[in-house]
Amino acid sequence: MRIAWLGKKSPFCGNVSYGLAVTEALKERGHGISFIHFDTPERFDRAEPDQESSGNLEPEVALPYLMKSQMYTIPSPRASRELRESLERFQPDLVHASLTLSPLDFRLPELCQQLGVPLVATFHPPFDAGLRNITAGGQQLTYQLYASSLAKFDRVVVFSELQAELLIRLGVAKNTLAVIPNGVDPNIWRPGASQLSERFSGKRVFLYMGRLATEKNVEALLRAWKLVQLPGCVLVVVGDGPLRQQLQASHSSNNVIWWGYEADQAIRLALLQVAEVFMLPSLVEGLSLALLEAMASGTACVATDAGADGEVLEGGAGIVISTQGVTTQLRTLLPVLREQPILSKELGRRARERVLERYTLQANIDALEQLYCNLIPNMPLAA
C-alpha cells in the first residue's frame, strides 16, 4: 500500500501525528510512505521532489508557507498547486492528513475526491471537555471550526473516547470517527537501571518532560515545588518552548534542574528510569506521548484530567488531578509521594501494566493498518 502523509514535520519526531516509530513500523510491514509537509520556501526551492530515496520511504515534498507555529500554518499561494501535483505524481492508494490548522485542511476532501483517493485525517488538537479555563475555551473554538468539515473525510482518527464524544456533540457522525490511541514500544520504553543514577548523587528525582508553553501549565508545578521544598529531592524540567527563559528566570534554585530540550531517546529513557514521579500539569492535552513513555518506563505518573490523559490513568494507573487549582493539589500531593516511595513504585508498576493492556505501538499500528485496508477493500494486509 502506498500512503501519502500530509502535515507539519518536525526535525526531531517526523510526522506530527505519528513519530518515526510508526513510520518505520509501517515500512517494515511493506507499506510505502511519502511525506508532504510544510517547510520554508527557501528549502522548497532547493528540494528535488522527483528524486527517489532508498527503501520504502518515497520522496518528501516540502510545501512552502508564509507562517507556521506550533498550532497553525498559513500556506503560500502556490502550496495548493504543489500539493495537487505531488499527489498526482505519487499516486497513493490512500492519503492520511495530520490536520494542521491550515486553509489547505478544508480543501483536501474535494481534492482527494477528484483524484479518487480515500482520505483519512488525524484530528489531534489538545482539549479540555470541561471548558474550565481560557486555554480550553480557545481550543473548543478549533473543534467547532472543524466539526462541519470533518464529515467530508472518509475517516477521522481521534485518540480517545472522550475526544470522540466531544466531536459527536458538535455534530460529527459517530461512524466517521475511529478511536486509535497513541502507542509506544514497551521494549524500548521499559523499567531498568538508569545510566544517569550517579549524576543525581542520590537525589530523588521528580520529572517534567514536554514543551514549556502556556497550555502545559508548568508555572503551577514550579509554584508548588517552591512551596513544599522537599528535602533530598530535585525537580528536573526537560524541554524547551516560548516560556523557558521566563520560567527559568523566575524559578531558578538548587533543587530545580533546567535540562533543556533532549533529542537523544536513550537519555530521555534514562531520565524516566531515574525519576520516581513524572508530572504533567497541562490545561489542555490530546493524548500525551510523553505520558505514555513515562508509564511504559515504570515511572509513577501524575497528570491533570485534560484531554485524554485522565482517561489513560483512571482506575489506579496513576494519580489524576483537576486542571483547576493545580498548585494547591500538588502542594498537598508532593509531600505524600516523597514520604511514600512504596506508593510511587506501585503506581509505576500499574502504569506499565496499563500501557501493555491498551497503549502499545503494535496495537496502534494494527488498528491503523486495519483502518486503511477497510477503506481499500481489495487491498490485503501487509505480511
Side-chain angles (χ1 to χ4, degrees):
M1 183 187 303
R2 295 172 61 88
I3 304 164
W5 269 353
L6 278 61
K8 289 185 287 190
K9 195 182 180 196
S10 161
F12 306 115
C13 63
N15 184 272
V16 73
S17 38
Y18 301 106
L20 291 174
V22 174
T23 305
E24 293 302 318
L26 285 170
K27 287 169 59 183
E28 287 174 3
R29 297 192 185 193
H31 302 294
I33 308 292
S34 300
F35 281 116
I36 303 174
H37 55 86
F38 287 104
D39 209 334
T40 61
E42 291 79 9
R43 178 174 172 182
F44 181 84
D45 289 337
R46 293 195 303 268
E48 297 179 9
D50 291 318
Q51 183 178 352
E52 295 284 340
S53 59
S54 61
N56 288 326
L57 186 62
E58 299 296 327
E60 295 187 18
V61 170
L63 299 177
Y65 65 90
L66 301 178
M67 180 180 296
K68 181 172 69 170
S69 72
Q70 181 75 9
M71 291 303 301
Y72 63 89
T73 302
I74 300 176
S76 77
R78 63 176 178 163
S80 180
R81 174 176 56 84
E82 300 292 353
L83 172 59
R84 183 185 185 96
E85 291 177 355
S86 297
L87 290 175
E88 290 174 340
R89 182 169 64 253
F90 291 155
Q91 297 184 338
D93 298 303
L94 180 141
V95 173
H96 189 154
S98 168
L99 299 183
T100 58
L101 302 187
S102 160
L104 285 185
D105 291 346
F106 302 98
R107 302 189 63 178
L108 277 172
E110 180 182 0
L111 173 58
C112 288
Q113 186 176 21
Q114 292 172 354
L115 298 175
V117 181
L119 175 61
V120 175
T122 293
F123 189 64
H124 51 81
F127 69 98
D128 177 22
L131 293 180
R132 293 167 290 187
N133 53 74
I134 293 175
T135 302
Q139 293 298 332
Q140 179 80 332
L141 292 175
T142 300
Y143 277 70
Q144 292 172 342
L145 174 66
Y146 270 87
S148 61
S149 297
L150 293 179
K152 300 175 183 178
F153 291 77
D154 292 292
R155 290 291 185 277
V156 177
V157 175
V158 294
F159 294 156
S160 72
E161 295 291 347
L162 188 62
Q163 187 185 11
E165 291 170 7
L166 174 58
L167 288 170
I168 290 170
R169 290 201 303 270
L170 292 172
V172 180
K174 184 176 181 179
N175 60 5
T176 300
L177 300 172
V179 179
I180 303 179
N182 282 333
V184 295
D185 187 343
N187 296 316
I188 295 176
W189 303 98
R190 64 190 187 278
S194 173
Q195 61 176 284
L196 296 175
S197 296
E198 293 185 4
R199 169 135 184 199
F200 293 102
S201 304
K203 296 281 187 180
R204 296 168 64 183
V205 176
F206 289 66
L207 178 68
Y208 170 82
M209 187 179 294
R211 270 176 53 79
L212 300 179
T214 302
E215 67 273 11
K216 296 299 185 180
N217 201 26
V218 182
E219 172 74 21
L221 167 60
L222 291 164
R223 287 199 303 266
W225 188 260
K226 184 176 182 178
L227 289 169
V228 296
Q229 292 293 321
L230 300 180
C233 299
V234 293
L235 173 63
V236 181
V237 180
V238 181
D240 205 348
L243 295 185
R244 179 181 176 181
Q245 290 186 350
Q246 175 186 332
L247 292 174
Q248 189 166 348
S250 302
H251 298 275
S252 179
S253 68
N254 293 333
N255 64 354
V256 178
I257 297 175
W258 293 91
W259 191 276
Y261 177 77
E262 180 55 68
D264 189 325
Q265 178 178 283
I267 299 299
R268 296 200 306 273
L269 171 61
L271 284 163
L272 291 170
Q273 290 172 332
V274 80
E276 286 192 31
V277 182
F278 172 87
M279 293 173 290
L280 193 60
S282 303
L283 296 172
V284 293
E285 271 292 349
L287 172 50
S288 170
L289 195 60
L291 175 62
L292 295 180
E293 291 168 351
M295 293 171 67
S297 301
T299 310
C301 293
V302 177
T304 60
D305 57 352
D309 289 353
E311 182 181 314
V312 170
L313 295 177
E314 66 183 2
I319 297 176
V320 183
I321 61 177
S322 172
T323 58
Q324 294 178 300
V326 169
T327 296
T328 300
Q329 294 171 85
L330 289 178
R331 186 179 182 182
T332 301
L333 184 58
L334 287 170
V336 175
L337 291 169
R338 179 191 179 276
E339 297 299 327
Q340 300 291 334
I342 294 177
L343 171 62
S344 297
K345 186 174 181 179
E346 175 63 14
L347 288 173
R349 184 189 67 79
R350 293 185 183 184
R352 181 167 172 84
E353 281 189 355
R354 177 62 56 81
V355 168
L356 295 176
E357 291 169 1
R358 304 182 189 177
Y359 301 105
T360 64
L361 178 63
Q362 180 174 338
N364 175 273
I365 297 299
D366 288 345
L368 276 176
E369 190 177 46
Q370 186 62 62
L371 173 65
Y372 293 161
C373 292
N374 286 344
L375 294 173
I376 310 174
N378 296 324
M379 181 70 66
L381 291 174

